[in-house]
Amino acid sequence: MSDVLINVQNLSKYFTASRNFWGNPTSFVRAVENVSFQVYKGETLGIVGETGCGKSTVGRTIVGLYKPTKGTVSCAGEDIHTAIHGPNAMTMRRKLQMIFQDPYASLNPRMTVGDIVGEPLAIHKITSGKDRQSRVYGLLKQVGLNPEHASRFPHEFSGGQRQRIGIARALAVNPEFIVCDEPISALDVSIQAQVVNLLEELQSEYGLTYLFIAHDLSMVRHISTRVAVMYLGALVEIAAADELYKNPQHPYTKALLSAIPIADPAAEAKRQRIILTGDVPSPINPPSGCKFRTRCRFAMAKCAEMAPELITGANNHTIACHLVK
Amino acid sequence: MEKILSVENLKVIFNTYAGTVQAVSDVSFTLDKGEIIGIVGESGCGKSVTSSAIMRLIPSPPGQISGGRIIFDGKDLVSLDEKALQSIRGNQISMIFQDPIVSLNPVLTVGLQLAESFMLHQKLPKKLALEKAVELLKLVGIPAPEERIHQYPHQMSGGMRQRVMIAMALALRPRILIADEPTTALDVTVQAQIMELIKKLNTELSTAVILITHDLGVVAGMCSRVLVMYAGKIVESAPARELYNSPQHPYTWGLLKSVPRPDKQKAALSSIPGQPPDLLAPPSGCAFMPRCQFAMEICKQPPKETVGSENHSCRCWLVDPASPYSPGTLFKEGEA
Ligand SMILES: Nc1ncnc2c1ncn2[C@@H]1O[C@H](COP(=O)(O)OP(=O)(O)OP(=O)(O)O)[C@@H](O)[C@H]1O
Ligand SMILES: Nc1ncnc2c1ncn2[C@@H]1O[C@H](COP(=O)(O)OP(=O)(O)OP(=O)(O)O)[C@@H](O)[C@H]1O
Ligand SMILES: [Mg+2]
Ligand SMILES: [Mg+2]
């Protein structure tokens, strides 16, 4: 595969959960803990995992919305968090864009669509006047909207159209890397495929690199080159999409994938489900050692003692589990 | 099979300041004893309104059941008075909702909420009712139920609260359980737990279930029959295998092709263009026509329901006996 664009090394992000009388933190939400992975240029890395496992936190830290508690994130070899606090902050910010889950909440209701899409052009001083207008029209066309839509307000659009506006806005500054944080979760089933197809077209046209976060495991497999699985702040497995779905190794990944509903009664009747018992523990007080051990059928004494390291085996398949040698 | 519910030509409208919303128009289906049927369709197509109508929980005003009958136990629920309905709701037919946190009382312990229905309907003393509550929580797979009954809803996880909701819905052993998107707010592994539970209760207590969801996958693993709704109407219904293997309505076909299959090689996703229609001014003909790649001149007139073999029914001019086409071959061509 080609060059590494984004390199995440030993990233941890803690949020303060409670403070004492003096305002000093007394407990933390360990949203992301010691996560390392790379995103290659031109690929789509999918991130899956259940609510609260830290997917959005990883995405937001990569684009610089959060500062890492520990570890580093770099883009094409340059440390992101040093860059966005240095003289070339704008250059780095321009490279990294984000599309959000809720197309309703992420667009300013008092701005016209033209202003929303044109705003990043103004901030980054890319174009002005007539040029800016034609660039905005061009962007709207690229995402399947009409130039006439530029003078309308977000509430006049459907969910799928609003998501297109968000995509046009992210594309405006010619980014290299886009974090798509649940871009289709709020959309109707029949509209989801429209947006996914658009993201794929834009990727092949501009060589974009995506981090694609979603609940829908089937859609993640469809769009991703490689897929990373997170559990309670930790990365448990990462491999090429087909390899991961056909040959999952981590007990959590196995359970997760076996729970995906398949839209075919014949296939449903044949499959063997692994039903996990219990709930996901709290990230404020996570289990020692391997975080999945409290729900794992194969947990051993060792699993409570130390956290398994990520080990890369055949087919570039990386797993963090004491069972897997 | 013995029929326990039959919905006939149900119509529900909402009178809003912008005009009359035709939320459900002409919906008919039946439910057999001990059966699980699925209703699928996208946001706003009328799934929840249909189920609220069966429970007679349509807020009025602005809503109104403007036509049709809902026959349960030989009685038409549409014409029953509130007192008669109260003895059916919860007792004979009960419902679980999408969001358990709004349907549970936040200031009452889970145990008391469960015990209430036994105290109210079966006139049990509190102590006995609480014992029954513990039994129910055990039935729905909540560990350490003796301790859990003293907890408040906010002290439980989403999956746990949904179990409590199911326990409440099942407390009085209803004959019909309506589950309106019971797992939409939950993660896949928890969703699998809840679906497993509903299936188990269906077999053990032979409760008939109406499962409402927008997820074609969830339905495939659970239901014997599936109804597909679009813009307030049932556009297709068939036994599950039949529906997934040979969809006849272009909307069903489009939906099935727009979800990726996790068990198959990657194939291009085909999307359905356009948006679902506005129910304030629904098209007079087929509501799917503006988005349909097979639309014909005749589609401007409302399509009739055509029933084929295996009880496969479809509302589409393509399958009308007079139609020169067969959706099977059309869809194969559309595939290319
Ligand atoms: N700004 C914040 N302050 C405090 N805690 C936070 C903050 N953002 C996230 N968290 C916590 O960090 C953990 C990880 O959250 P995150 O939003 O990254 O999860 P996620 O995997 O994106 O979940 P979801 O699928 O629900 O979007 C959660 O326990 C969450 O409550
Ligand atoms: N109280 C109300 N007032 C006005 N219109 C309503 C009301 N309740 C529902 N409707 C309308 O009735 C139609 C059907 O709504 P319903 O809630 O049944 O959809 P649904 O299929 O359950 O969708 P979802 O998947 O989003 O839950 C919608 O167009 C909705 O706007
Ligand atoms: Mg998130
Ligand atoms: Mg609904």
Side-chain angles (χ1 to χ4, degrees):
Chain A
M1 207 179 270
S2 53
D3 318 339
V4 171
L5 180 67
I6 301 289
N7 192 357
V8 178
Q9 283 301 326
N10 305 101
L11 176 70
S12 294
K13 177 69 195 171
Y14 299 167
F15 295 102
T16 304
S18 60
R19 290 176 190 274
N20 65 12
F21 178 76
W22 312 105
N24 299 322
T26 51
S27 66
F28 298 94
V29 178
R30 296 161 188 250
V32 174
E33 199 152 42
N34 201 18
V35 162
S36 303
F37 62 87
Q38 286 81 37
V39 191
Y40 297 99
K41 203 163 174 15
E43 79 163 343
T44 299
L45 177 70
I47 298 194
V48 298
E50 301 181 83
T51 298
C53 71
K55 305 180 295 294
S56 298
T57 305
V58 167
R60 289 166 163 260
T61 313
I62 294 180
V63 300
L65 290 173
Y66 293 150
K67 190 171 170 290
T69 307
K70 287 181 210 151
T72 57
V73 182
S74 63
C75 174
E78 192 183 358
D79 186 80
I80 288 171
H81 296 272
T82 314
I84 59 174
H85 293 100
N88 292 327
M90 283 307 216
T91 321
M92 182 56 85
R93 287 204 183 274
R94 189 186 59 71
K95 286 185 192 167
L96 313 167
Q97 293 292 314
M98 188 149 177
I99 302 168
F100 297 90
Q101 167 170 4
D102 191 351
Y104 303 84
S106 55
L107 302 175
N108 185 337
R110 278 182 281 276
M111 279 166 75
T112 65
V113 167
D115 290 341
I116 289 172
V117 175
E119 188 184 47
L121 295 171
I123 294 174
H124 290 276
K125 304 198 178 61
I126 295 179
T127 53
S128 59
K130 266 260 169 292
D131 278 354
R132 183 175 305 157
Q133 193 185 45
S134 63
R135 172 104 177 103
V136 167
Y137 288 174
L139 285 162
L140 290 178
K141 263 192 224 145
Q142 263 165 17
V143 298
L145 297 171
N146 300 325
E148 298 92 73
H149 287 141
S151 56
R152 301 207 201 150
F153 291 91
H155 73 259
E156 298 173 50
F157 293 88
S158 70
Q161 287 173 317
R162 283 185 243 211
Q163 200 52 283
R164 288 170 192 269
I165 299 168
I167 295 172
R169 184 188 154 91
L171 285 178
V173 295
N174 294 321
E176 291 179 24
F177 178 72
I178 303 182
V179 171
C180 309
D181 191 357
E182 311 247 7
I184 53 169
S185 311
L187 304 177
D188 270 334
V189 190
S190 77
I191 310 294
Q192 290 183 354
Q194 291 178 7
V195 173
V196 165
N197 286 343
L198 172 66
L199 286 171
E200 289 187 314
E201 277 161 38
L202 294 169
Q203 178 170 48
S204 62
E205 199 170 333
Y206 300 105
L208 294 168
T209 306
Y210 293 144
L211 188 76
F212 189 89
I213 300 172
H215 272 115
D216 183 336
L217 296 157
S218 315
M219 210 47 116
V220 169
R221 177 186 188 178
H222 173 83
I223 198 171
S224 306
T225 324
R226 291 185 308 137
V227 176
V229 183
M230 288 185 70
Y231 183 81
L232 203 61
L235 188 66
V236 300
E237 187 161 3
I238 179 167
D242 278 340
E243 164 73 12
L244 186 90
Y245 280 68
K246 281 195 196 125
N247 185 22
Q249 296 288 313
H250 196 283
Y252 174 64
T253 312
K254 287 185 182 171
L256 187 69
L257 297 182
S258 86
I260 312 176
I262 303 177
D264 177 357
E268 277 285 343
K270 265 190 266 151
R271 73 205 302 227
Q272 215 43 36
R273 277 242 157 83
I274 304 167
I275 307 275
L276 288 179
T277 51
D279 291 308
V280 181
S282 155
I284 297 178
N285 206 351
S288 65
C290 172
K291 292 181 171 180
F292 183 60
R293 69 178 167 83
T294 53
R295 297 173 79 197
C296 182
R297 294 184 293 166
F298 310 107
M300 319 170 275
K302 189 179 178 187
C303 303
E305 284 156 20
M306 59 180 188
E309 299 206 6
L310 283 167
I311 296 171
T312 304
N315 298 329
N316 242 330
H317 196 139
T318 303
I319 306 126
C321 176
H322 289 309
L323 280 177
V324 182
K325 295 271 147 39
Chain B
M1 254 309 192
E2 193 186 331
K3 218 185 273 178
I4 58 168
L5 182 78
S6 122
V7 174
E8 298 167 6
N9 310 100
L10 181 69
K11 285 196 179 73
V12 183
I13 56 172
F14 288 93
N15 294 306
T16 67
Y17 74 96
T20 303
V21 178
Q22 316 206 342
V24 170
S25 35
D26 200 15
V27 158
S28 305
F29 65 92
T30 60
L31 177 70
D32 287 342
K33 194 164 178 281
E35 186 188 29
I36 306 185
I37 64 167
I39 305 184
V40 292
E42 48 200 315
S43 198
C45 72
K47 306 181 297 293
S48 298
V49 170
T50 303
S51 45
S52 312
I54 296 171
M55 295 291 283
R56 283 287 309 277
L57 288 172
I58 299 281
S60 168
Q64 182 196 341
I65 297 181
S66 59
R69 306 195 302 165
I70 301 169
I71 309 293
F72 172 73
D73 241 0
K75 287 177 287 233
D76 181 5
L77 300 184
V78 173
S79 53
L80 285 191
D81 59 18
E82 188 55 33
K83 193 157 175 288
L85 285 169
Q86 269 172 11
S87 71
I88 290 178
R89 248 184 243 140
N91 223 339
Q92 307 268 349
I93 307 180
S94 61
M95 184 155 169
I96 44 182
F97 300 89
Q98 182 166 344
D99 191 359
I101 195 76
V102 297
S103 342
L104 289 169
N105 186 338
V107 298
L108 267 189
T109 62
V110 163
L112 276 180
Q113 295 190 50
L114 279 166
E116 231 176 18
S117 55
F118 297 117
M119 286 150 68
L120 213 74
H121 287 276
Q122 300 183 348
K123 312 273 177 267
L124 290 185
K126 187 170 163 187
K127 190 163 168 288
L128 267 180
L130 276 173
E131 275 170 26
K132 281 222 162 192
V134 170
E135 246 170 66
L136 266 177
L137 290 181
K138 209 177 278 163
L139 179 77
V140 296
I142 290 187
E146 298 82 1
E147 290 151 39
R148 290 287 180 181
I149 55 168
H150 303 297
Q151 289 193 332
Y152 293 89
H154 70 89
Q155 293 172 300
M156 301 185 140
S157 70
M160 203 91 88
R161 283 197 291 258
Q162 197 55 284
R163 282 166 194 269
V164 171
M165 281 297 298
I166 294 175
M168 280 173 83
L170 292 173
L172 303 167
R173 302 249 169 153
R175 291 158 65 198
I176 301 176
L177 174 69
I178 304 177
D180 188 359
E181 311 245 12
T183 56
T184 304
L186 305 174
D187 283 321
V188 274
T189 60
V190 186
Q191 167 172 300
Q193 291 173 358
I194 299 289
M195 287 301 156
E196 201 67 15
L197 172 65
I198 292 179
K199 232 194 249 173
K200 176 180 144 223
L201 297 170
N202 160 262
T203 345
E204 284 175 11
L205 313 176
S206 71
T207 317
V209 180
I210 302 178
L211 178 66
I212 293 173
T213 163
H214 60 265
D215 189 330
L216 287 159
V218 169
V219 168
M222 294 282 294
C223 305
S224 54
R225 249 174 346 120
V226 181
L227 321 176
V228 181
M229 280 188 83
Y230 189 78
K233 290 196 168 72
I234 294 177
V235 294
E236 183 162 9
S237 82
R241 270 174 202 249
E242 164 75 14
L243 185 98
Y244 286 82
N245 287 339
S246 47
Q248 301 212 320
H249 198 285
Y251 174 64
T252 313
W253 176 72
L255 270 189
L256 286 169
K257 295 235 318 158
S258 64
V259 293
R261 286 278 301 266
D263 56 334
K264 291 263 167 76
Q265 280 299 336
K266 177 171 170 160
L269 286 187
S270 70
S271 58
I272 304 178
Q275 309 292 328
D278 182 359
L279 294 179
L280 266 177
S284 58
C286 169
F288 188 61
M289 181 185 172
R291 304 175 73 188
C292 182
Q293 65 181 105
F294 308 108
M296 306 172 283
E297 193 54 33
I298 195 171
C299 302
K300 289 180 185 157
Q301 293 166 38
K304 291 189 291 268
E305 186 179 19
T306 308
V307 185
S309 61
E310 290 204 54
N311 247 328
H312 192 154
S313 82
C314 179
R315 254 177 217 268
C316 173
W317 283 113
L318 287 176
V319 298
D320 189 86
S323 160
Y325 303 107
S326 137
T329 52
L330 274 185
F331 293 169
K332 289 234 164 57
E333 284 163 28
E335 216 120 311

